[in-house]
Amino acid sequence: MKVDMKSTDLSWISKIQVNQPAVLRRAEQIQARRTVKKEWQAAWLLKAVTFIDLTTLSGDDTPSNIQRLCYKAKYPIREDLLKALNMHDKDITTAAVCVYPARVCDAVKALKAAGCSIPVASVATGFPAGQTHLKTRLEEIRLAVEDGATEIDVVINRSLVLTGQWEALYDEIRQFRKACGEAHLKTILATGELGSLTNVYKASMIAMMAGSDFIKTSTGKETVNATFPVAIVMLRAIRDFFWKTGNKVGFKPAGGIRSAKDSLAWLSLVKEELGDEWLKPELFRIGASTLLSDIERQVSNLYLWSKLTGVFEKGIEKPN
């Protein structure tokens, strides 16, 4: 059940200010330290796999590309490696696959053929710019849902943020929410184009008030995508919203997250800012297309290291 925080007006939004120097200091602290001890890294990396929205958003996507993507989503880590780690019976898959609206049917068909229930997410609302007519954006959501998407990643009209039209932004996202029906709404803020951390916080609050199930950093197409300063602001907006309403909203960083080391840093950040209860696919996702390959490579390297040290003789350490 969503709690509507909207009052008779949103004038209070204009009074919000983010302490940018404090946010930047916090981001530097996080990036300067090692996030996870080596003997725990394999477990944490396998956990990271379960948060990935495995994504392809290319102009040359074809049904065969989507089929390969869905196969990788179901089998993200080599079976022999999972058996060696005694993790072969844990049903490790990615959290979802994410595609363009025109490819939703292909993804649904491929996953059904593979006999798995991984959700299909679709970008929508004129992705990535969000500059098409509202009627067209709403229809795109409805068509994606009709084709079988159970998660919709919408993009906001950034001009509404840059010109301070908070009521209009709220109303648009409410219409997105309605068009989604039962599908989960993930709202992409495109933070690299919002101008300031204060605007990021304001847009985060508006998106949550309007009914978003997740707030997402970026489309992955901007010049600047997911960064720690932006994430800290969004995570604290999520925390503030939870304290005020009792509603938990999810967080999805996306864009530029390519290495296993990156994924560990993002898990650690969410754990520190929001706690363990947010470390589940219902409340945390990572949007990525190439991350999975590096995670598999690093897990393999960690297994070889364990053979020399005996660390995993009784199975890998559980995330702590």
Side-chain angles (χ1 to χ4, degrees):
M1 177 72 70
K2 295 291 178 186
V3 176
D4 190 350
M5 285 176 58
K6 189 184 181 188
S7 58
T8 53
D9 66 75
L10 292 170
S11 59
W12 59 273
I13 283 283
S14 64
K15 301 174 184 177
I16 293 172
Q17 288 294 324
V18 169
N19 185 338
Q20 181 168 323
V23 171
L24 296 179
R25 283 195 301 272
R26 170 67 173 147
E28 288 174 1
Q29 291 170 357
I30 294 166
Q31 291 170 303
R33 65 172 181 263
R34 187 174 180 177
T35 55
V36 180
K37 292 182 179 179
K38 192 167 185 177
E39 60 266 31
W40 296 342
Q41 285 182 14
W44 274 98
L45 288 173
L46 292 179
K47 190 176 182 71
V49 169
T50 68
F51 298 136
I52 293 175
D53 281 0
L54 191 59
T55 302
T56 181
L57 296 169
S58 300
D60 58 357
D61 284 337
T62 63
S64 60
N65 289 356
I66 302 302
Q67 187 175 17
R68 287 192 293 271
L69 181 85
C70 292
Y71 182 87
K72 190 61 177 176
K74 184 178 181 182
Y75 303 107
I77 304 294
R78 296 193 332 258
E79 183 70 11
D80 64 309
L81 186 54
L82 290 175
K83 285 182 177 178
L85 295 169
N86 197 28
M87 294 293 286
H88 57 286
D89 58 348
K90 302 301 182 184
D91 193 29
I92 294 174
T93 70
T94 66
V97 296
C98 184
V99 298
Y100 274 120
R103 301 267 73 94
V104 169
C105 285
D106 296 330
V108 171
K109 181 180 178 181
L111 290 168
K112 184 177 180 180
C116 66
S117 57
I118 296 172
V120 175
S122 173
V123 295
T125 64
F127 181 95
Q131 292 283 6
T132 53
H133 290 294
L134 179 59
K135 182 178 179 180
T136 303
R137 286 181 278 156
L138 293 172
E139 185 64 14
E140 192 172 39
I141 294 173
R142 287 190 283 265
L143 289 172
V145 172
E146 287 177 11
D147 285 345
T150 55
E151 301 180 0
I152 303 295
D153 289 34
V154 303
V155 290
I156 65 169
N157 182 343
R158 277 76 101 187
S159 69
L160 298 178
V161 175
L162 296 172
T163 56
Q165 298 182 67
W166 304 112
E167 291 271 0
L169 179 62
Y170 176 91
D171 290 339
E172 279 204 356
I173 299 174
R174 288 295 292 174
Q175 291 182 69
F176 296 162
R177 170 72 273 169
K178 184 177 179 181
C180 282
E182 295 299 314
H184 287 176
L185 172 63
K186 303 206 288 284
T187 300
I188 306 170
L189 304 182
T191 55
E193 297 178 350
L194 296 188
S196 70
L197 293 178
T198 294
N199 277 347
V200 170
Y201 184 93
K202 291 176 179 180
S204 297
M205 292 300 292
I206 293 292
M208 291 186 287
M209 289 163 57
S212 302
D213 297 295
F214 273 75
I215 52 175
K216 177 178 171 182
T217 60
S218 321
T219 66
K221 309 292 186 181
E222 296 91 59
T223 304
V224 178
N225 292 290
T227 66
F228 276 5
V230 158
I232 290 167
V233 170
M234 292 176 68
L235 290 168
R236 292 185 179 179
I238 288 171
R239 186 176 64 191
D240 291 347
F241 186 78
F242 174 64
W243 285 348
K244 291 174 181 176
T245 69
N247 288 347
K248 294 178 181 177
V249 174
F251 173 66
K252 179 179 174 179
I257 304 174
R258 299 184 178 90
S259 72
K261 183 179 179 181
D262 289 342
S263 69
L264 293 177
W266 283 102
L267 264 68
S268 295
L269 176 60
V270 172
K271 178 181 172 72
E272 289 188 19
E273 290 292 328
L274 294 177
D276 289 331
E277 57 192 314
W278 255 266
L279 285 181
K280 53 186 178 182
E282 293 80 9
L283 290 171
F284 178 53
R285 300 288 181 85
I286 298 172
S289 56
T290 61
L291 170 63
L292 195 52
S293 296
D294 192 58
I295 288 180
E296 187 173 45
R297 183 164 48 251
Q298 293 307 318
V299 170
S300 180
N301 291 341
L302 286 165
Y303 173 68
L304 294 175
W305 167 76
S306 76
K307 295 290 286 183
L308 297 174
T309 61
V311 169
F312 299 157
E313 285 180 357
K314 296 180 180 180
I316 66 175
E317 295 277 352
K318 294 180 179 180
N320 195 356

